[in-house]
Amino acid sequence: MSHGFETRALQVTTGAAENVFDLTADCVAFLAEVASGRDGLLNVFAPHATMGVALIETGAGSDDDLLAALHTLLPADDRWQHRHGSPGHGRDHVLPAIVPPHATLPVIGGQLALGTWQSVCLVDTNRDNPNRQVRLSFLG
């Protein structure tokens, strides 16, 4: 039985360097306010053409490994047809095809049901735009 839909926009500063930015605490805080012990779904959406949302372990090197893998897959060089911004910025516009700008996650009893070591993260390789927005939506 659905009890409603709650949504909130977060303003996030990811910084001037490529970044894997952990949003897990923000997701947990949002659910504490709106889920009221209910089961449902949390949707995390980044309304940007140059950013993705990933579930990944952080703090043990996996976040740096992800950025290194993206450098291999999407080098910051002059091969890209999309050519405004800093050198290689065209790759930032390809990123959401590899790391999608959204994730939908289970919520059980009002709690985010992540696996061991999983964190909800923004993946931001766009050094030209450190000011971002993320939309959190709970349906339960």
Side-chain angles (χ1 to χ4, degrees), residues 18 48-52 74-76 80 82 84 86-97 124-128 132:
E18 296 179 358
H48 297 279
T50 59
M51 190 165 64
L74 303 171
W80 308 101
H82 187 107
H84 74 84
S86 61
H89 175 66
R91 77 182 191 117
D92 301 328
H93 287 272
V94 176
L95 173 75
D124 190 0
T125 59
N126 182 357
R127 296 168 303 176
D128 296 338
R132 304 303 205 140

Side-chain angles (χ1 to χ4, degrees), residues 5 9 11-13 22-23 26 30 33 35 47 50 63 77 79 86-88 91 93-94 110 114-115 124 128 132:
F5 181 79
Q11 302 304 315
V12 178
T13 301
D22 193 339
L23 280 179
D26 295 297
F30 172 68
E33 290 180 34
T50 59
D63 36 358
D77 58 21
R79 74 184 68 202
S86 61
R91 77 182 191 117
H93 287 272
V94 176
L114 294 175
D124 190 0
D128 296 338
R132 304 303 205 140

Side-chain angles (χ1 to χ4, degrees), residues 3-139:
H3 288 48
F5 181 79
E6 300 281 344
T7 191
R8 175 165 305 141
L10 302 176
Q11 302 304 315
V12 178
T13 301
T14 56
E18 296 179 358
N19 199 321
V20 176
F21 186 90
D22 193 339
L23 280 179
T24 309
D26 295 297
C27 294
V28 168
F30 172 68
L31 290 172
E33 290 180 34
V34 302
S36 302
R38 293 178 281 156
D39 293 350
L41 296 171
L42 173 67
N43 184 263
V44 180
F45 177 67
H48 297 279
T50 59
M51 190 165 64
V53 176
L55 295 182
I56 189 169
E57 178 181 7
T58 59
S62 297
D63 36 358
D64 291 331
D65 290 341
L66 174 58
L67 292 175
L70 291 172
H71 274 277
T72 300
L73 290 170
L74 303 171
D77 58 21
D78 64 356
R79 74 184 68 202
W80 308 101
Q81 292 183 40
H82 187 107
R83 293 189 183 261
H84 74 84
S86 61
H89 175 66
R91 77 182 191 117
D92 301 328
H93 287 272
V94 176
L95 173 75
I98 296 170
V99 182
H102 58 87
T104 301
L105 309 167
V107 176
I108 300 172
Q111 303 292 314
L112 190 56
L114 294 175
T116 303
W117 308 119
Q118 284 183 317
S119 295
V120 181
C121 296
L122 297 177
V123 180
D124 190 0
T125 59
N126 182 357
R127 296 168 303 176
D128 296 338
N129 184 6
N131 299 311
R132 304 303 205 140
Q133 184 183 90
V134 178
R135 293 187 187 130
L136 302 180
S137 300
F138 174 70
L139 177 63

